[in-house]
Amino acid sequence: MSTITETKWNSSLYDNKHDFVFKYGEDLVNTLNPQPNERILDVGCGTGHLANTIAQVGAQVVGIDSSLEMITKAKQEYPQIDFRVLSATDFHFDESFDAIFSNATLHWVLDKEAAIDCMYSNLKRSGRLVLEMGGKGNVDGIIVALKNALQKRGLTDKAAQQVWYFPSLSEYTGLLEKRGFRVTYAAHFNRETELKDTDNGIKDWIKMFAVSYLQGIDENIVNEILTEVQDSLYVSHFRNGKWYADYKRLRVVAIKPPTSFK
Ligand code: BEZ
């Protein structure tokens, strides 16, 4: 029996078919507004494209990602940047940062308090945190269709998995405030995202990002599920010859106060 067992990130598939992740992230770099010589940490840097954009202004950038494959590719492409394999929930640098940046990563981190604590601890006082992640309701259409297809086949444990954390604005900003951050900007907005492949856009998205729902399932069944899910989304997610994912973003800017409130 052939099954899907791949849990590693496929950095080539990411760069070739899902480059919207870092293309949309360029707008978040504008919000970060990096300055020459600032020390900036990119949490969940992937293949390093945004870390490189930030470094181009003359900032000293460190990129971390828990995926060895992503970091290997980032180092090959941008050897001048300091990239390290580190988890968002467990990192410590001797020298703290002027700013911490994170694009499309923190929804993968189920232990959100640990990530917030690490980001707070590694930021200088008056330093800023600039992040964007999936917010409440993110890719709901795709996930509901995928879970329905799994449940229909009796794969209830697979369907019940919690793979991501998509918080509401008040929930995430509340956690940041609880740790000591002062939230200066927060928005929760829709971003319908065009998928590259006009034939297999939804199937490709699931194979890239939602593969843990399909692990251990026979390849023929996987193909059947992918076809069923994509077909069921035709009315809601296909327009003018293109597939779209129903992204909802949470964008937050928060400051570590100059002195502790406590
Ligand atoms: C996101 O960027 O919102 C996202 C990416 C992959 C899986 C789930 C969400």
Side-chain angles (χ1 to χ4, degrees), residues 26-235:
E26 279 161 16
D27 186 47
L28 190 65
V29 174
N30 294 334
T31 301
L32 172 70
N33 190 19
Q35 299 299 312
N37 299 317
E38 275 192 320
R39 183 168 155 77
I40 299 180
L41 179 68
D42 181 356
V43 174
C45 62
T47 48
H49 301 302
L50 293 176
N52 181 54
T53 305
I54 296 167
Q56 274 167 358
V57 303
Q60 300 161 38
V61 181
V62 180
I64 63 170
D65 201 290
S66 58
S67 161
L68 173 62
E69 186 176 13
M70 289 290 193
I71 290 292
T72 303
K73 183 132 194 254
K75 282 183 172 173
Q76 277 162 4
E77 208 139 330
Y78 308 110
Q80 71 284 8
I81 297 179
D82 181 356
F83 290 111
R84 306 186 193 184
V85 180
L86 281 173
S87 159
T89 59
D90 186 16
F91 63 88
H92 171 78
F93 289 84
D94 290 338
E95 192 185 344
S96 49
F97 292 90
D98 295 296
I100 296 184
F101 172 89
S102 184
N103 179 55
T105 293
L106 292 167
H107 48 253
W108 293 101
V109 182
L110 300 185
D111 190 354
K112 59 263 184 200
E113 289 91 352
I116 289 172
D117 185 51
C118 275
M119 294 189 291
Y120 188 87
S121 305
N122 284 276
L123 201 51
K124 287 181 187 166
R125 293 221 166 265
S126 301
R128 62 205 188 278
L129 169 64
V130 177
L131 69 89
E132 194 173 296
M133 63 193 288
K136 193 173 170 67
N138 194 36
V139 287
D140 239 11
I142 301 176
I143 302 313
V144 167
L146 180 56
K147 289 188 172 191
N148 284 344
L150 291 165
Q151 269 157 356
K152 201 171 120 182
R153 290 167 177 81
L155 298 164
T156 41
D157 286 355
K158 292 257 169 253
Q161 288 176 88
Q162 191 189 352
V163 176
W164 303 294
Y165 167 61
F166 297 136
S168 68
L169 184 150
S170 63
E171 182 179 340
Y172 205 76
T173 56
L175 289 173
L176 291 170
E177 286 174 349
K178 190 169 168 205
R179 182 59 188 90
F181 280 104
R182 184 167 68 90
V183 176
T184 56
Y185 173 86
H188 185 196
F189 55 95
N190 291 351
R191 182 189 285 142
E192 291 285 298
T193 299
E194 184 187 318
L195 302 175
K196 218 165 204 171
D197 194 299
T198 51
D199 294 324
N200 296 306
I202 297 287
K203 292 182 183 181
D204 285 349
W205 188 92
I206 293 171
K207 284 195 272 186
M208 176 80 216
F209 296 118
V211 75
S212 57
Y213 283 105
L214 303 173
Q215 268 162 14
I217 302 176
D218 179 85
E219 204 178 332
N220 295 323
I221 310 280
V222 166
N223 289 333
E224 206 181 281
I225 290 172
L226 290 173
T227 301
E228 185 175 309
V229 170
Q230 181 164 289
D231 288 354
S232 75
L233 293 171
Y234 183 77
V235 173

